[in-house]
Amino acid sequence: MTDSSYTTSFTVDQTPAQAFSAINDVRGWWSEEIEGRTARVGEKFKYHFQDLHRCEIQLREMIPNRKVVWHVLDNYFSFTQDRSEWKGTDIVFEISRKGGQTEVTFTHLGLVPDYECYDACSDGWHAYINGSLRDLIATGRGQPNVGEAITESEQLLMR
């Protein structure tokens, strides 16, 4: 059986330590509206975007310069019928060296094509991971959400 969970990866010239640091700077690449702490195993934080999406996440695993795992404790989407989507899923960041570069692989375990939110969520993750997080690692500046729609999916859902 093949896992069909959403996954994406990118490479940068920076070190695994720089990638690890950027991943843990959630406000620097995902949203400036993160409430709570995001630096130590066991810590919890809340994300929200307008009335479209809210979630509570717990940091479950950290292996410096190699891996970060989040667990979604609770989630709400205003645009899905199924209220269980995302709940109990894991978000995994894996960092490795490939030649002279650092590869970051992002997997949202349990975010599968059968989910109502899959198109919007995969569009969002692509923008935040392959765009904002990658830029934060490579240039020191991400494009986190500051309360406005960034992705095409967010723009459509806000109409």
Side-chain angles (χ1 to χ4, degrees), residues 45-62:
F45 65 92
K46 293 181 180 180
Y47 164 85
H48 70 275
F49 175 69
Q50 307 275 331
D51 188 41
L52 292 175
H53 184 203
R54 295 187 302 271
C55 63
E56 183 178 17
I57 294 174
Q58 183 176 41
L59 187 54
R60 286 282 172 94
E61 182 180 357
M62 292 180 86

Side-chain angles (χ1 to χ4, degrees), residues 52-54 75-80 83 85-86 117 121:
L52 292 175
H53 184 203
R54 295 187 302 271
N75 191 71
Y76 164 81
F77 289 122
S78 65
F79 56 94
T80 63
R83 298 297 182 210
E85 291 190 1
W86 273 42
C117 79
C121 292

Side-chain angles (χ1 to χ4, degrees), residues 4-15:
S4 58
S5 295
Y6 178 79
T7 190
T8 188
S9 63
F10 61 84
T11 57
V12 290
D13 292 329
Q14 287 65 33
T15 66

Side-chain angles (χ1 to χ4, degrees), residues 23-122:
I23 290 165
N24 292 306
D25 180 8
V26 182
R27 290 171 187 85
W29 63 266
W30 190 11
S31 174
E32 291 183 354
E33 300 201 24
I34 297 289
E35 298 173 28
R37 299 179 50 106
T38 64
R40 294 190 178 148
V41 171
E43 292 181 335
K44 297 175 187 175
F45 65 92
K46 293 181 180 180
Y47 164 85
H48 70 275
F49 175 69
Q50 307 275 331
D51 188 41
L52 292 175
H53 184 203
R54 295 187 302 271
C55 63
E56 183 178 17
I57 294 174
Q58 183 176 41
L59 187 54
R60 286 282 172 94
E61 182 180 357
M62 292 180 86
I63 301 172
N65 310 330
R66 292 185 40 213
K67 188 175 188 179
V68 176
V69 179
W70 298 346
H71 182 72
V72 180
L73 298 169
D74 197 17
N75 191 71
Y76 164 81
F77 289 122
S78 65
F79 56 94
T80 63
Q81 299 260 335
D82 183 351
R83 298 297 182 210
S84 69
E85 291 190 1
W86 273 42
K87 291 179 184 177
T89 63
D90 288 324
I91 298 168
V92 180
F93 302 83
E94 295 176 292
I95 305 163
S96 60
R97 287 300 277 174
K98 298 280 181 174
Q101 293 190 302
T102 298
E103 181 177 63
V104 175
T105 300
F106 170 91
T107 305
H108 189 154
L109 293 168
L111 175 59
V112 294
D114 290 344
Y115 270 16
E116 287 177 75
C117 79
Y118 187 81
D119 289 340
C121 292
S122 58

